[in-house]
Amino acid sequence: MSLSDDDAEILEVARAGFIEEAQEMLRQYEAALLVLEDDPQDAESLNAAFRAAHTIKGTAGLFGYVHVVGFTHEAETLLEALRSGQRALDDAVMAALLESGDQISRLLDQLGQDEPDAEVLAQGHALAARLRALLGKAEAEAPVAAEAVPEAPTPPAELIEPIWHLSLRFGPDALRSGLDPLSFLRYLVTLGSIEGLQTLTDKVPVLEQLDAEACYLGFELRLRSEASRQDIERVFEFAADDADVQILDPGAPPAAFEALAERHCGTDAQARATLFACWQSLGLDFQLRRVELEVPSAEEPVVVPHIERRDPQAARSPSRRSGEGDRRQGGRDRRAGDETRFVRVRADKLDTLIDLIGELVIAGSGAQMIAHLEKNDVLLEATQRVMDLVQDTRDGALALRMVPIGETFGRFQRVVRDITKQLGKEIELVVTGGDTELDKSMVDAIADPLMHLVRNSLDHGIEAAADRIAAGKSPTGRLALNAFHEAGAVVIEVSDDGRGLARERILAKAIERELIEPDQVLSDHEVWQLIFLPGFSTAEQITDISGRGVGMDVVKRSIETLRGSIALTSETGRGTLTQIRLPLTLAMIDGFLTMVGGVHYVVPLATVAECIDLPREFNPDSQRISGTFDLRGEVMPWLDLARFYGVEPDTSRRRSVLVVRDGGSRVGLIVDRLLGEHQTVIKPLAGIFQHMRALAGSTILGSGDVALVLDIAGLLTAARRSASTEQSAR
């Protein structure tokens, strides 16, 4: 049967959802194992790792991803041995389990292919062998029957066909739990062939009582397979809570079917007759000669060999899998739970929504401008109300894209563990501020730059234990990741208590490469900035961790692409602090609108400290771009935006100074006019404008004019450089 286009699209979306969920489960799996490594007695972390692996295996089975199912089962078996106390946790077990997470990830990456790469499969086979060896059991022991079965003559084994009988009854909440009954049937085909199948629909209610989200189906089928009972049971083990699965061995005696009928039908003679007719249609006449429609007497208990015993009343009790009377209400209770408070939304749809809200902001600004021109109080009040609602909508839409950075920080637990073992160092990772929120696109983009910084600290920054003891330090090094909000930006810090940056070595390398003059005097800040030059490295030897000089320039370029800045501070023997400053979002900001030389400029409102008149000591006829002035006893650098951008200032009226800040630095920007607050939708600059300095983007005003959005970090850097150049010229 071929799928329709709609079915195929639904299936593809479900598969994409599975991969995303599986990746999340892998992160939980790895995080739980890392906690367990520090505290082997943490039973909850062990259970969390087991649940994550079990979920991945179960969901992969629904889609028929046999390679994922098979390998994950090996890891799950070892985890179960740890849970039961059959195996103790040691370094070898932990290493193998962490590597198993990597292998599952590689298999997930191969799902788009017809068959995984041979190299990936070979890695999986080798690691699976390691997992089994660590378990210490070549083969799982056969389950021991809990109840004795009366001996009866049975045909020789070689005369019994390998045909299993499966009796499946799915609970009413199976679909709500994400189970697809047809997926189980498709998966069974991978173990053999289905000789006969009957779908039972006797539980389907009349249309008026039908719950579209409930499952009423049952199946009776014959499976020809050489697989073991354990292999068949594995197909359904993750559906144990939402299905009643009974498996009868090949050649099962009539007594087994009698017990099965008692389980499903009880004393309902009509239901038993229907079930017997179903079995006969599957070719089971030869096994039903002794079956009668009368109810077996209570004095003749029937024992079913190798059938999972579950309380028959459990399926009928008032619970989540309750009977007809409570089924619909149970579904409502389940859907109202916490697990349904989250909805997966495609990122491109969210981007489209934010773009539309941005256009709404621009249109609203235009309407508000017309209201001001018309000087209509009623219209002004109405447009102001609309703009307030637009602003609330904007904030709500942007909040949808905000995610905690802690998820990114959590990835480095494994990195630190692996590298410290590789380097033979003792390093503690301290994470703070993980709940600080940042735009999702920026969280994804910052992961690689942070990885470079972390690896550099681990390799070059933090010394080996012996060197630290010789320097009077604790043998255990400390690497810290921190995040916090400051002045409308997110600050991310990577710090260590290692040896610090070698100032003289950096200068010597810069002179050797003719980046600076031998007699040139540089501040500490300028020396540290040399590290971000392409190919610059002071590493004495190249390792597979760092030292090739291809990282820090990439880090800086990636951060500047996000309109951010990076700064280094270091103290010899005490460690290094790297501080990354990023805007909260790349989409929309609250801005302060100014005009310089007939051009509109927008300054992010969060960076504005105050507005003042132009100081009296400033010469309006001066051609200088920058300088300093006295602001209430503080020496404040200033930057004339008009001359900085090469336009003629408007001197027909008194100009103003906009004092802005970026971290601990402040500068006064001289502008021609102050136009007030303005909601700003940031548009990227076209390539032709990329050469312009200290611009973060552009925006469209309500009048249709274009305004340029200033990059405050870039302006501060330009101001410092201009001041340094002018001082040198003197």
Side-chain angles (χ1 to χ4, degrees):
M1 180 181 68
S2 60
L3 294 175
S4 68
D5 291 342
D6 289 343
D7 291 339
E9 182 178 357
I10 292 172
L11 185 58
E12 186 60 33
V13 170
R15 286 173 176 165
F18 157 69
I19 294 175
E20 183 177 349
E21 181 182 8
Q23 295 291 356
E24 175 61 28
M25 288 294 104
L26 278 179
R27 285 191 285 271
Q28 295 180 19
Y29 173 81
E30 184 175 282
L33 289 178
L34 292 173
V35 172
L36 190 65
E37 185 176 35
D38 293 334
D39 183 8
Q41 303 304 316
D42 189 341
E44 180 53 38
S45 293
L46 178 57
N47 290 334
F50 179 84
R51 286 194 299 270
H54 190 69
T55 300
I56 292 172
K57 185 184 79 169
T59 314
L62 285 175
F63 292 97
Y65 298 145
V66 293
H67 296 293
V68 177
V69 173
F71 179 81
T72 307
H73 178 76
E74 301 289 353
E76 185 188 47
T77 303
L78 182 54
L79 285 168
E80 179 57 35
L82 295 176
R83 295 171 75 199
S84 63
Q86 298 176 6
R87 181 67 164 86
L89 179 65
D90 54 30
D91 289 343
V93 170
M94 180 57 65
L97 288 174
L98 286 171
E99 290 178 37
S100 70
D102 298 336
Q103 176 62 18
I104 295 171
S105 180
R106 285 191 289 267
L107 289 171
L108 291 174
D109 291 340
Q110 302 282 312
L111 290 185
Q113 305 179 16
D114 294 336
E115 187 71 15
D117 290 342
E119 182 178 353
V120 173
L121 291 179
Q123 291 174 336
H125 293 323
L127 184 53
R130 277 178 56 195
L131 294 169
R132 288 191 294 270
L134 289 168
L135 189 59
K137 295 182 179 180
E139 296 290 341
E141 297 180 0
V144 178
E147 305 174 56
V149 181
E151 294 185 3
T154 57
E158 61 272 11
L159 298 181
I160 299 177
E161 291 189 276
I163 300 178
W164 302 79
H165 185 87
L166 279 68
S167 181
L168 313 176
R169 301 293 186 275
F170 288 91
D173 285 327
L175 298 179
R176 283 188 280 263
S177 297
L179 302 180
D180 179 3
L182 296 182
S183 296
F184 292 96
L185 303 183
R186 287 193 292 267
Y187 189 74
L188 284 173
V189 177
T190 65
L191 301 179
S193 61
I194 296 179
E195 299 286 293
L197 171 66
Q198 288 291 329
T199 302
L200 305 180
T201 58
D202 54 298
K203 299 296 184 183
V204 179
V206 296
L207 184 59
E208 291 76 9
Q209 300 176 6
L210 183 70
D211 183 351
E213 295 184 358
C215 183
Y216 306 99
L217 299 180
F219 300 92
E220 296 287 325
L221 63 92
R222 305 284 288 170
L223 175 68
R224 179 182 293 274
S225 174
E226 300 291 344
S228 66
R229 164 178 285 274
Q230 186 179 20
D231 290 335
I232 298 174
E233 288 175 344
R234 285 175 184 169
V235 175
F236 302 97
E237 61 184 347
F238 56 89
D241 291 337
D242 290 285
D244 181 9
V245 180
Q246 303 300 316
I247 304 173
L248 302 187
D249 293 331
F257 287 89
E258 291 174 356
L260 194 55
E262 172 69 18
R263 180 185 185 88
H264 289 320
C265 307
T267 60
D268 188 338
Q270 183 58 46
R272 289 169 63 87
T274 302
L275 183 59
F276 292 153
C278 171
W279 286 342
Q280 289 172 346
S281 69
L282 294 175
L284 290 170
D285 290 346
F286 70 98
Q287 290 185 331
L288 300 175
R289 293 170 187 162
R290 296 192 302 141
V291 174
E292 302 293 340
L293 291 182
E294 68 269 19
V295 180
S297 65
E299 290 77 16
E300 298 178 0
V302 179
V303 179
V304 182
H306 303 298
I307 295 181
E308 179 187 0
R309 290 274 175 193
R310 297 170 67 177
D311 184 3
Q313 298 300 320
R316 306 185 184 98
S317 63
S319 65
R320 186 168 63 86
R321 284 169 290 279
S322 59
E324 287 293 327
D326 297 326
R327 181 182 293 119
R328 298 179 67 87
Q329 183 61 40
R332 292 191 190 97
D333 290 343
R334 182 185 180 95
R335 291 192 294 273
D338 288 342
E339 62 196 59
T340 58
R341 294 174 59 190
F342 299 94
V343 178
R344 294 184 184 275
V345 179
R346 287 174 46 174
D348 57 342
K349 291 185 176 181
L350 194 55
D351 290 339
T352 300
L353 173 63
I354 292 176
D355 288 342
L356 290 173
I357 293 176
E359 296 302 323
L360 183 60
V361 168
I362 295 172
S365 297
Q368 200 169 35
M369 180 176 293
I370 293 173
H372 279 287
L373 293 175
E374 294 292 333
K375 297 182 180 180
N376 186 321
D377 292 340
V378 176
L379 183 58
L380 276 172
E381 184 177 351
T383 55
Q384 184 59 51
R385 175 59 178 159
V386 170
M387 287 304 295
D388 290 342
L389 292 174
V390 168
Q391 184 172 355
D392 291 343
T393 305
R394 181 204 68 172
D395 294 341
L398 291 178
L400 295 176
R401 289 187 59 90
M402 304 299 280
V403 297
I405 199 171
E407 180 180 322
T408 299
F409 283 174
R411 301 176 190 175
F412 296 111
Q413 296 280 358
R414 173 72 182 282
V415 175
V416 172
R417 175 203 179 269
D418 291 347
I419 293 180
T420 52
K421 289 186 176 296
Q422 181 179 345
L423 297 176
K425 296 180 179 180
E426 299 178 16
I427 300 175
E428 174 191 15
L429 176 64
V430 179
V431 175
T432 54
D435 57 349
T436 303
E437 291 189 334
L438 190 62
D439 190 288
K440 177 66 167 66
S441 62
M442 301 181 75
V443 168
D444 295 338
I446 200 64
D448 285 343
L450 284 178
M451 181 67 74
H452 281 295
L453 296 175
V454 167
R455 293 169 74 92
N456 275 344
S457 290
L458 295 175
D459 195 11
H460 300 311
I462 300 178
E463 314 94 327
D467 295 336
R468 293 180 62 86
I469 293 174
K473 298 181 179 181
S474 166
T476 301
R478 184 178 186 274
L479 174 66
L481 297 174
N482 182 33
F484 56 92
H485 288 136
E486 181 182 86
V490 172
V491 179
I492 303 172
E493 295 179 336
V494 180
S495 61
D496 64 66
D497 64 349
R499 58 174 60 91
L501 297 177
R503 191 180 195 279
E504 298 305 320
R505 184 185 298 177
I506 294 172
L507 285 173
K509 179 66 70 172
I511 293 172
E512 175 187 333
R513 296 188 55 194
E514 300 182 350
L515 299 174
I516 61 174
E517 298 296 330
D519 58 349
Q520 189 173 346
V521 178
L522 299 178
S523 66
D524 285 347
H525 174 79
E526 292 170 328
V527 172
W528 309 146
Q529 289 299 112
L530 293 173
I531 294 175
F532 296 107
L533 295 175
F536 190 94
S537 176
T538 59
E540 297 179 352
Q541 64 182 33
I542 292 175
T543 70
D544 59 352
I545 298 174
S546 61
R548 297 182 182 271
V550 295
M552 296 304 286
D553 62 316
V554 175
V555 168
K556 184 177 182 181
R557 190 162 58 248
S558 299
I559 291 170
E560 289 178 344
T561 300
L562 297 173
R563 303 203 326 270
S565 62
I566 183 169
L568 281 172
T569 56
S570 183
E571 186 176 348
T572 303
R574 300 291 298 274
T576 302
L577 168 65
T578 305
Q579 191 175 78
I580 299 171
R581 187 175 297 273
L582 296 168
L584 281 176
T585 179
L586 297 177
M588 286 175 273
I589 62 170
D590 287 321
F592 193 92
L593 187 61
T594 67
M595 180 173 284
V596 178
V599 179
H600 290 93
Y601 292 91
V602 176
V603 180
L605 185 61
T607 66
V608 177
E610 58 181 309
C611 302
I612 60 175
D613 287 335
L614 195 66
R616 295 181 182 276
E617 61 265 33
F618 182 78
N619 181 4
D621 298 325
S622 172
Q623 297 299 312
R624 292 171 57 193
I625 295 177
S626 63
T628 60
F629 67 97
D630 181 17
L631 178 63
R632 298 187 294 276
E634 176 186 356
V635 177
M636 176 74 63
W638 57 263
L639 185 71
D640 190 332
L641 282 182
R643 293 188 168 88
F644 178 75
Y645 283 114
V647 298
E648 194 62 31
D650 181 5
T651 57
S652 62
R653 65 177 71 195
R654 188 169 181 82
R655 305 173 75 196
S656 302
V657 177
L658 197 64
V659 180
V660 297
R661 62 183 182 273
D662 185 57
S665 302
R666 298 207 304 171
V667 67
L669 302 179
I670 299 177
V671 300
D672 295 344
R673 294 180 60 189
L674 302 174
L675 301 178
E677 296 183 21
H678 183 270
Q679 292 189 50
T680 303
V681 180
I682 300 177
K683 304 287 187 179
L685 287 173
I688 193 173
F689 299 110
Q690 292 299 322
H691 67 283
M692 298 187 68
R693 297 174 294 173
L695 291 181
S698 62
T699 188
I700 301 174
L701 304 179
S703 61
D705 294 333
V706 174
L708 300 175
V709 182
L710 294 176
D711 174 15
I712 300 304
L715 285 174
L716 288 170
T717 302
R720 283 193 292 263
R721 287 177 180 171
S722 296
S724 176
T725 301
E726 290 189 5
Q727 289 178 0
S728 299
R730 295 174 187 174

